[in-house]
């Protein structure tokens, strides 16, 4: 039987500007096959409900610390997921629905993090500055 720790790994990449980019390598299919609970991805041992927020946070923190990552939280996965969706061309309204945001402004916060947005800004500034 596969241990849950075998299904979860984080990798860290340093970007050009020196910031860190976390990549989630969670194989949800492998994890689900361990417990095969039809309702919860992370069930309690009794499988009656999902694990608590505190348990999930402590487990995530232990995994991040073991990987040498200091400033990651479970919410970092949500940010990373939203950013990857936007970088891959998923419409902001779709990301809004996936994340459950009631206002598009909340979702648009993620657009400043994407590389395509930065590249678009660089191109725009290059056009504006040409000929000055």
């Amino acid at each position: 039987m596969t241990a849950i720790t075998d299904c979860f790994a984080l990798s860290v990449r340093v970007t050009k500007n020196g910031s860190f980019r976390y990549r989630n390598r969670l194989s949800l299919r492998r994890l689900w096959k361990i417990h095969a609970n039809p309702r919860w991805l992370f069930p309690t041992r009794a499988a009656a409900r999902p694990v608590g927020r505190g348990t999930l946070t402590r487990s995530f923190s232990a995994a991040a610390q073991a990987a040498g990552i200091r400033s990651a939280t479970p919410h970092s996965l949500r940010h990373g997921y939203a950013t990857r969706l936007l970088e891959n061309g998923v419409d902001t309204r779709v990301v809004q629905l996936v994340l459950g945001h009631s206002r598009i402004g909340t979702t648009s916060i993620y657009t400043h993090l994407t590389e395509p947005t930065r590249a678009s800004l660089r191109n725009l500034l290059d056009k504006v500055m040409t000929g000055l």
Side-chain angles (χ1 to χ4, degrees):
M1 184 172 193
T2 306
I4 289 179
T5 54
D6 294 338
C7 297
F8 186 71
L10 287 175
S11 65
V12 180
R13 178 171 67 89
V14 180
T15 61
K16 291 178 187 174
N17 66 2
S19 64
F20 295 99
R21 189 63 62 90
Y22 303 105
R23 182 171 295 155
N24 175 17
R25 292 189 179 174
L26 176 61
S27 171
L28 299 179
R29 180 178 298 281
R30 281 182 54 200
L31 179 61
W32 184 81
K33 285 181 178 180
I34 292 169
H35 60 74
N37 187 296
R39 186 164 184 193
W40 308 113
L41 179 59
F42 302 109
T44 58
R45 288 181 192 253
R49 63 185 194 280
V51 295
R53 181 178 289 173
T55 302
L56 186 61
T57 300
R58 283 188 301 276
S59 299
F60 184 85
S61 295
Q65 186 176 9
I69 302 169
R70 288 180 273 152
S71 62
T73 66
H75 201 73
S76 302
L77 298 177
R78 181 177 169 89
H79 285 286
Y81 180 63
T83 302
R84 296 300 94 63
L85 289 174
L86 292 167
E87 283 182 341
N88 286 292
V90 176
D91 185 75
T92 309
R93 297 267 182 202
V94 173
V95 176
Q96 176 188 8
L97 290 171
V98 168
L99 296 178
H101 292 158
S102 58
R103 295 184 345 214
I104 193 70
T106 305
T107 308
S108 67
I109 291 169
Y110 294 101
T111 61
H112 82 281
L113 303 172
T114 66
E115 186 54 41
T117 300
R118 292 178 187 168
S120 175
L121 178 60
R122 280 191 295 270
N123 290 338
L124 177 65
L125 289 174
D126 286 346
K127 285 180 186 178
V128 169
M129 299 305 286
T130 301
L132 290 180

